[in-house]
Amino acid sequence: MKQLNSSEVRQMFLDFFKSHGHMVLPSQSLIPADDPTLLWINSGVATMKKYFDGSVVPKNHRITSSQKSIRTNDIENVGKTARHQTFFEMLGNFSVGDYFKEEAINWAWEFLTSDKWLALPKENLYCTVYPKDPDARKFWMAAGMPEDHIVKLEDNFWDIGEGPCGPDSEIFYDRGPENNDVAEDDPENFPGGENARYLEIWNIVFSQYNHLPNGKYVDQPHKNIDTGMGLERVLSILQDAPTNFETDLFLPIIHATERLSAGKKYNKMAADTVAFKIIADHVRAVSFAIGDGALPSNSGRGYVLRRLIRRADLNGKRLGIKGAFLYQLVPIVGQIMASHYPEVQDQASFIAKVIRNEEERFQVTLESGLSLLDDLISKAQASNDKVISGKAAFKLFDTYGFPYELTVESAEDAGLKVDKTGFDAEMSAQKERARQARGNLQSMGAQDVTLMNLKDKSQFEYGTETDQAKLIDILVDDKLVAKADGETATLVFDKTPFYAERGGQVADHGRIYNGEHELVAKVTDVQHAPNDQNLHFVDLILPVEQGQTYTLEVDHERRAGLRHSHSATHLLHAALREVLGVHTHQAGSLVEPDYLRFDFTSLDPMTPREIATVERLVNEKIWAGISVKTTVTDAEHGKAMGALALFDGKYADQVRVVQMGDFSSEFCGGTHVDNTAQIGIFKITSEFAIGAGMRRIEAVTSRKAYDFLARQADLVSEVQELVKANKPELITEKLTSMESHLHDSQKQVAELQLTINQQKATSLFDQQQTVGDLSVIATIADVASIADLRELADTWNQGAKSDVLVLAAKHAGKANMIIALGDKARKQGLKAGDLIKIAAPIFGGGGGGRPNLAQAGGANPAGLADAIKAVLAAIAQN
């Protein structure tokens, strides 16, 4: 079995199926595109519906992916079991009317067992098949799965109602009896049963039938393959981790949480361990979800995020963490996942900001809410019915922001119930009160009404980063005031150089000074009011007064970065249309000071050549030093000038047309460079799918592009030095040669080990003794692993060296034993499985097997000699 990290396993899976003609599909957004049936993308196949239902024909009928997924149907189990997660990665290979059972099974077996790939021990693999699917069983046996490792299960039929369905085959890995949580004779102790020993790692669905509305099943015209292998699960095997949470996908997050906690340590106290797991899982889920565009709210996906963030915060409090903390773990998530999902690392500051804002909102009510919850629990425990009233649970939800599910979880932990009927009644009553309070559909909440009533004119000043302006409105706690001297406020000036977030470009930041040039406020955000004034969200240093004049100063470095990114976005759009075709349209963008993100329509992934061509074209326009011209005109004249109108809708009387020579012309209200040369350099860092027919490019400019390229150059230099290549161009040749040498060396080692074991067998098999009328070979062999013991047992079996074989081995603090019986011993009623159960506890382990062959592993090598004596005594007493 290979020792691999998560990035290596993920890439190895994709490389394997790419070598078998599959198109590698990048992981798509967690937010489903044009699929109202799903709240989240919850599997790899969820992104393939358009292919499987025939509405879209894929460019390649063989597809593979590593798809980020979220499932929230059992959030309450996260942290309490070894495998439950809300966020996970599903490795999958798919056939859309191409290959079917035989190829799918053969490739699964090859990837799992081949020395070139995962090299899992074959004897540890089991599979389940549908009893009425003899082909699957036949193909598994042909691939190499032992017949007695194939289990027939009636449940192995994938069917969710009308539509495609069919038998499926699940693959399990035997983690050994020492990892079991049920007794050896428990009815659930088998591959496919409810136990911890046999871990399901891969499911292959043979979608060959169509479930009709009338209940009948008919053959599908084109049979499909849909598979899913949990990255976290297979990684726990390769990294010998007791649960998914001890893999490299989670441990860095857990260790970072330990450092934030009040001296708490993972795996010391059960309750603390659960809390660590919940935090690690939930921060992964919310980081990816926010990165894909979801935001906390009171409904839908937003409610799920809010619940996850608050649940994580509550568990942080249990670890002694005070205040907002979850946002600090976002960079750790980004670092872990950067090799395949750079979007989290690229958006780490934004994701952290969203999480922190949500955490701080929750912290305001957390203390009083927890106190009330503890009081409710105490009262309910003292009552006869042991129930928290629905009215009390609703107060926690409505006043303190506690999701109902968190109240239920806390109640269940205390052995109590919550009156859901009463809670639902309170919720309905609140909605009715809200409808009556609104009066009409145009009424809004207090803050929105206040903003809508702002009528004073406020002008954004293009082309300047410093200006003097009159403060005309001050808002504090959603109310208009004449003076503000607290911590925060929202300010409106008669004019401003601060750009308010719009059209994908984020807001300016900066400072505000009074007449004595004293710093009075830091501008942290700027947004548009309903009547289009720029709302300056500020942290106050000194008091501010309505009617006074202040000096507004934009953060120059941030503005420069935004100008570079925004102008580069226009060049990128034009280059995409030139390279991919005029059918390519912008579908969204994000302009940050340190990077840009551009979404566009495209049915197919860009090829490496297309990406390189687009990147080169953008840089050529930068190096050409094209003047950037802005014209203020009406919409019709703007269109006549050839400007692209990016989105349908009404335009103001006056629009801004930004032109870069004859290469790019767009309607745009953002800030731009004066000349393309100011951008410096442009570098695409990633290109991937975010939905059906939607692609995303992320890129950097100027200094950030240099930094990116410098890191790439450093990496190349490091690799060049490691492989001892004279020139970078020779790295690939060196790596290929090293891989070939490694393969040859591994082959030689295996052959030498086989020779050594055969020589040892000759010596071992001469050491016979007689117990009763049976010849017995029983000794501790000088070998390193259970695999070596099995090889010796195979040699013994071929030569019928004795009636009974009892071999043990000790290595690296571990003990192993194997027992094999010949025909004579079995006819006398001896069973290898019974004998191993006698021996295993003596050397601190457990085991099992068949009547003719059984094995066990343990943690006390010193007990092996006594264990052998116990087996010999049992044989003598038979």
Side-chain angles (χ1 to χ4, degrees), residues 6 17 60 91 188 194 208 261 307 338 382 401 439 456 468 490 520 551 553 573 575 655 760 764 784 815 850 856:
S6 54
F17 282 100
N60 186 334
L91 306 172
E188 290 296 318
E194 291 292 332
Q208 63 190 87
S261 74
R307 180 183 174 192
D456 296 319
Q468 290 191 329
T490 303
V520 299
T551 299
E553 187 175 288
H573 188 194
V655 297
K760 289 179 179 178
L764 289 171
R850 302 185 300 275

Side-chain angles (χ1 to χ4, degrees), residues 570 573 585-587 589 598 643-648 651 666-668:
H570 283 220
H573 188 194
H585 297 289
Q586 179 177 345
S589 67
F598 188 85
L644 286 176
L646 301 184
F647 303 103
D648 293 334
Y651 290 90
E666 294 186 15
F667 289 172
C668 182

Side-chain angles (χ1 to χ4, degrees), residues 3 13 65 107 116 143 180-181 202 223 240 252-253 276 330 425 468 491 507 510 542 608 638 664 685 706 748 789 842:
Q3 298 296 312
F13 182 91
S65 69
W107 288 336
K116 183 178 178 181
N180 216 344
D181 59 352
W202 205 340
K223 295 175 173 57
D240 196 24
I253 304 172
F276 278 116
V330 172
Q468 290 191 329
L491 312 179
L542 296 174
S664 171
T685 58
Y706 170 81
Q748 291 174 6
L789 291 180
I842 299 173

Side-chain angles (χ1 to χ4, degrees), residues 83 109 294 390 586 753:
R83 315 295 167 199
W109 184 255
Q586 179 177 345
Q753 187 63 51

Side-chain angles (χ1 to χ4, degrees), residues 44 200 603:
E200 180 190 348
L603 291 176

Side-chain angles (χ1 to χ4, degrees), residues 7 85 160 168 174 193 213 276 310 326 340 379 397 553 713 832:
S7 296
Q85 296 158 217
I160 56 173
D168 64 85
D174 182 7
F276 278 116
R310 293 183 173 187
L326 197 65
H340 198 68
K379 289 179 179 179
F397 170 83
E553 187 175 288

